[in-house]
Amino acid sequence: MSEPTPDAAQAFVSFLTSRRHVIDQHVMASVPSARQGDGADALERYLYAPLRRFVASGGKRTRPALCLLGAAAVGAPEERALSVASAVELFQSAALIHDDIADEGQMRRGQPCVHVTEGVGVALNVGDLALVATTTTVLRDQRLDAGTRLRLLEEISAMEERTLEGQALDLGWARDECWDVSVDDYLYMASHKTAYYSAAVPLACGAICGGGTTAQVEALRSFGMDAGLAFQLQDDLLNLAGDAEAQGKDYRSDITEGKRTLMVVWALAHLDSARRDELVQILSSKTTDPQRLDRAVQLMDAAGSLDHTRSYAQRLVDQAKSHLNGVQLEPQARDTLLSMADFFVERRA
């Protein structure tokens, strides 16, 4: 197993920082506004303005940055991927708005969730608008030929379907109180819910925008699948054992929400029956009591869950890097991709 150097992730962090302004500009320009005429003010209030506020509220813009990186990796100007970068970020907005409703979340990006401020019905509609904008922002990009736009929409549609499949499993397990989820079940769910849209498809779409070869596109997709799953595992780790101050109100919320993470399913498979029952009871109780949350982490740690998840995430990163071997990519972009994989498991927020 390779061990990243302390500065291994810095190139990707610098890449994110340097592209943030242009991404923000293009993403915000892609958020639709009410057409002038009767009802425009009301439509702004109930539909367009809430989406604009949510998109403007932040996020790291990692996914759109990966679209630009995918284009750069195949030797194309990054700006060719700006529309699909915006599309991916708009899909992320839709997913988060809808996810917060399903999870009954209260805070997102340090602000009340859209359904908290606007009501569930309005929030659902705002999320749906983001989905519509995901498609239209690509359709209207005249810098790309019609064949490329169609190919991108096929990629995005498949990405949306895979994400919904993962979400269906996540929600269904919670609804039906399923605690017999296997490690393989979890990895399938997380790959679909997160890895496709967090890394694999953004990189592949960027390469498609840049006219990349089939070998280049598929290598970047495979790299993104493994790195994207590692990203999710690190997210789960940070929620349980990261910096409580940096996590804020979300700290250990996965326990309160009873989420089936790799750490949970590993622990349930390796604890004795008494401690397994205790962990299930805590996860089912929706508790916010710090002592009970801490006890859940202790149980998972006793089962070796945290160490196993860290180790597995690092193996995924090593595997992701191997997908780039023998594939012709621009050297600086390749270095940034390798840095990205390290960043995904080294980040602390």
Side-chain angles (χ1 to χ4, degrees):
M1 182 184 299
S2 66
E3 290 295 334
T5 62
D7 296 327
Q10 189 55 47
F12 184 66
V13 174
S14 298
F15 179 83
L16 286 179
T17 301
S18 65
R19 272 59 173 186
R20 179 62 186 261
H21 180 66
V22 68
I23 289 172
D24 280 344
Q25 280 190 318
H26 205 277
V27 168
M28 293 310 301
S30 299
V31 179
S33 299
R35 293 178 294 276
Q36 294 300 311
D38 294 342
D41 290 345
L43 286 172
E44 275 293 313
R45 177 183 175 188
Y46 299 129
L47 182 61
Y48 295 101
L51 178 59
R52 194 174 301 112
R53 284 194 297 271
F54 184 82
V55 175
S57 68
K60 298 179 183 68
R61 308 296 198 216
T62 303
R63 294 165 184 83
L66 294 187
C67 294
L68 305 191
L69 183 55
V74 300
E78 293 176 9
E79 55 265 26
R80 284 190 60 82
L82 276 171
S83 64
V84 77
S86 296
V88 168
E89 186 69 8
L90 288 166
F91 174 72
Q92 160 81 343
S93 295
L96 293 179
I97 292 168
H98 289 159
D99 208 30
D100 287 339
I101 295 170
D103 292 341
E104 300 180 358
Q106 297 299 305
M107 299 291 292
R108 172 70 67 177
R109 296 171 175 171
Q111 300 178 19
C113 296
V114 177
H115 70 91
V116 172
T117 58
E118 306 294 335
V120 171
V122 169
L124 284 170
N125 214 36
V126 170
D128 289 346
L129 174 64
L131 289 176
V132 171
T134 298
T135 301
T136 56
T137 193
V138 173
L139 276 175
R140 293 170 181 169
D141 185 359
Q142 296 304 308
R143 293 172 298 183
L144 302 174
D145 63 76
T148 300
R149 294 199 301 271
L150 178 60
R151 189 176 173 190
L152 291 172
L153 291 176
E154 289 173 341
E155 288 279 348
I156 289 170
S157 295
M159 174 192 76
E160 291 173 335
E161 186 176 0
R162 297 291 88 77
T163 305
L164 292 172
E165 288 172 348
Q167 178 75 332
L169 293 174
D170 200 20
L171 292 172
W173 292 338
R175 187 196 69 183
D176 294 344
E177 299 182 357
C178 295
W179 294 109
D180 58 348
V181 176
S182 71
V183 168
D184 286 343
D185 291 336
Y186 167 80
L187 294 174
Y188 181 89
M189 181 278 292
S191 294
H192 282 61
K193 182 176 177 178
T194 301
Y196 278 97
Y197 93 94
S198 288
V201 173
L203 285 168
C205 283
I208 290 168
C209 290
T213 66
T214 299
Q216 289 172 321
V217 171
E218 294 312 313
L220 290 169
R221 189 194 308 279
S222 296
F223 170 88
M225 283 299 297
D226 286 331
L229 183 54
F231 180 95
Q232 181 60 57
L233 296 185
Q234 182 68 2
D235 237 22
D236 296 342
L237 278 164
L238 290 174
N239 188 270
L240 297 192
D243 186 328
E245 186 175 345
Q247 291 279 316
K249 292 185 177 180
D250 286 334
Y251 188 56
R252 296 185 170 173
S253 61
D254 286 356
I255 300 172
T256 303
E257 295 171 13
K259 288 191 174 181
R260 280 74 171 163
T261 63
L262 179 58
M263 287 167 288
V264 166
V265 299
W266 179 270
L268 294 179
H270 290 83
L271 289 170
D272 60 59
S273 59
R275 291 190 295 175
R276 182 187 188 278
D277 290 346
E278 182 184 1
L279 180 57
V280 168
Q281 198 281 326
I282 295 172
L283 292 166
S284 302
S285 68
K286 299 187 182 298
T287 184
T288 58
D289 178 13
Q291 290 187 332
R292 300 199 73 200
L293 297 178
D294 191 55
R295 176 57 179 164
V297 176
Q298 290 174 7
L299 288 167
M300 285 185 261
D301 197 27
S305 290
L306 275 67
D307 287 341
H308 173 75
T309 300
R310 291 188 187 98
S311 176
Y312 191 76
Q314 186 59 56
R315 291 201 301 274
L316 284 168
V317 163
D318 294 339
Q319 185 170 296
K321 292 177 179 180
S322 73
H323 292 303
L324 304 184
N325 294 338
V327 181
Q328 184 177 354
L329 298 171
E330 288 297 308
Q332 185 173 354
R334 180 191 293 272
D335 289 344
T336 304
L337 286 163
L338 297 176
S339 173
M340 162 195 150
D342 290 328
F343 169 78
F344 276 7
V345 293
E346 289 181 12
R347 64 197 175 89
R348 293 295 175 261

